[in-house]
Amino acid sequence: MPASLQCPTCSAPLDLPETHETLVRCPYCGAGVVLNERLGTVEAVAAGSAHSDTIAEVVRLLRAGNRIGAVKVYRERLGVGLKEAADAVERIAAGQPAGSLPRSSGSRGVFGCMAVLVLLAAVIGVLATRRGGPADEGGPAVAGQPTPAPAAEPQRPGFAEPVLEFGSEGTGAGRFTDARGVAVDGQGRVYVAEYSGGRVQVFDSLGTFLTQWMADPKMPLVDLAADRGGTVYVVQSGRIRRYEGATGRPLGEVPRPAPRASYSEVTVALDGSLHAVTDPSGTGIVHLGPDGEVRRTLDVRETIHEEASATRLAVAGTGDLYVLDRWSGEIYRLDPGGRFVDRFGGEGDRTDQFRSPADLAIDGRGRVYVSDLGRGIRVFTPDGGFIDSFGGDEVVFGIAFNDRDELFAAYRNRHQVVKFRVGG
């Protein structure tokens, strides 16, 4: 029996469950996977649904160049109007989420929000048009050499201005194949992690390549964070491992709060303490001191509501904890004592809602930034009031701030990191 399998939706490696479960989730894209045993071999099969099957067929037709057929399939199978189907297929072809889909009743059915995630994993990097290629004006970026942000992307004056971009497609110095994670330490070093292969590249604050080092090359790198002293925390295989950021020297593993606990996310507060999600379903959060001692644990189902889950975390300078629930599209705010304060966001197309949120970060003024796949970055006040959005209709994954309120964002399909200067 193999030690690992591939997710049939996004091709990421899957760990075999320690128990005899037959329905699991991909640790990154969240898609449902059915495990079948046949002749002593375990096979991973996508957990089917009408929406996911339809989107898979639409993707197949688009790859074959049959856009009209794709619109027809989307319209007939999902029972929507011609304009809605055409708009959805247009978004799919552009590498953007097709739009919000209704949840099934009950907890989440067979993963009620799975269709958006299936679309994301199936389409990102396959159909999206990548900017900065040889056909673009100015040609491809030179590996390891940052370039000024192009004037063709004007931002609203006084709030967010792109001042630098670096990276291009490939495996050499300063090149990316599937960069999704970004972290910045107290010295301004920028760490960019590939989802597959375990590669972490290190850049200075001006985007100049410094070095690279490897985490576990066999498992998806689902999250990383950095503290002010230059220690980088990498989440893989349910573990959080420490590395010396400047060199990649291993520094050991963060203790687990329980023997079978499994980490899926980590963030670092200004005091060096860690907040982490402690299981793949996102129901547990643990607060750890810099030396690994457990300060507090909480169950988000009890703290917030029974359907809540945690996907990404960010800690404000006030100690307030912001929790991104990718399933509901909501942001939950907890006070420094772990008590629920408020929520904002939700699934939808309004400016203050999200289609497929991926990451969140907080600037020095306490404003909350959320990357929404296919919609750039959206900005909120500390209490959830919508302020602005920027970054265009782009697929942005990881985002992280330095001490100068400069935001680094991983543009996965463009194979670049873009630095924004925010103000206002």
Side-chain angles (χ1 to χ4, degrees), residues 290-312:
D291 57 356
E293 83 279 7
V294 176
R295 294 183 177 180
R296 182 187 306 111
T297 61
L298 62 88
D299 188 323
V300 296
R301 295 169 300 185
E302 298 175 356
T303 303
I304 303 168
H305 62 80
E306 62 181 14
E307 289 293 312
S309 64
T311 307
R312 287 285 185 261

Side-chain angles (χ1 to χ4, degrees), residues 124-126 128-134 136 139-144 166-179 194 199 201 411-417:
I124 284 177
V126 176
T129 301
R130 183 177 63 84
R131 296 165 53 181
D136 294 335
V142 178
F166 56 93
S168 59
E169 185 175 7
T171 59
R175 296 179 181 268
F176 309 118
T177 57
D178 191 7
E194 301 276 352
R199 185 167 73 139
Q201 296 188 67
Y411 280 65
R412 190 270 185 196
N413 289 357
R414 285 169 51 178
H415 305 286
Q416 288 184 322
V417 172

Side-chain angles (χ1 to χ4, degrees), residues 43-307:
E43 299 177 338
V45 181
S49 72
H51 286 119
S52 59
D53 292 345
T54 297
I55 290 170
E57 178 65 11
V58 166
V59 170
R60 186 190 68 78
L61 290 168
L62 285 172
R63 287 174 177 168
N66 188 357
R67 187 179 294 262
I68 294 177
V71 172
K72 181 180 179 181
V73 166
Y74 194 97
R75 180 185 182 187
E76 292 180 351
R77 292 192 184 181
L78 298 185
V80 301
L82 177 59
K83 184 179 186 304
E84 183 178 348
D87 289 346
V89 170
E90 186 68 25
R91 287 192 292 267
I92 293 173
Q96 302 169 10
S100 299
L101 297 172
R103 294 190 189 188
S104 56
S105 59
S107 176
R108 283 185 177 90
V110 182
F111 309 114
C113 298
M114 190 181 89
V116 172
L117 296 173
V118 168
L119 164 66
L120 167 64
V123 178
I124 284 177
V126 176
L127 297 172
T129 301
R130 183 177 63 84
R131 296 165 53 181
D136 294 335
E137 183 178 353
V142 178
Q145 296 298 317
T147 59
E153 292 188 6
Q155 304 298 327
R156 298 178 184 178
F159 188 79
E161 175 189 5
V163 295
L164 179 74
E165 60 185 32
F166 56 93
S168 59
E169 185 175 7
T171 59
R175 296 179 181 268
F176 309 118
T177 57
D178 191 7
R180 305 188 191 185
V182 177
V184 186
D185 68 17
Q187 288 72 49
R189 287 185 291 257
V190 182
Y191 304 92
V192 184
E194 301 276 352
Y195 175 64
S196 301
R199 185 167 73 139
V200 178
Q201 296 188 67
V202 187
F203 302 84
D204 67 16
S205 61
L206 298 178
T208 302
F209 174 81
L210 299 177
T211 187
Q212 74 170 33
W213 44 268
M214 303 295 292
D216 185 348
K218 297 180 180 180
M219 299 306 301
L221 198 161
V222 299
D223 194 30
L224 85 163
D227 67 17
R228 299 185 59 76
T231 298
V232 175
Y233 300 83
V234 172
V235 183
Q236 289 181 295
S237 304
R239 297 176 172 86
I240 301 175
R241 296 185 175 93
R242 300 185 183 97
Y243 296 86
E244 184 177 73
T247 66
R249 181 170 63 91
L251 300 176
E253 187 174 317
V254 174
R256 305 187 192 194
R260 297 179 66 85
S262 177
Y263 291 116
S264 60
E265 147 73 4
V266 65
T267 191
V268 184
L270 291 178
D271 64 359
S273 64
L274 307 177
H275 290 78
V277 179
T278 56
D279 62 90
S281 62
T283 59
I285 296 176
V286 60
H287 183 196
L288 302 163
D291 57 356
E293 83 279 7
V294 176
R295 294 183 177 180
R296 182 187 306 111
T297 61
L298 62 88
D299 188 323
V300 296
R301 295 169 300 185
E302 298 175 356
T303 303
I304 303 168
H305 62 80
E306 62 181 14
E307 289 293 312

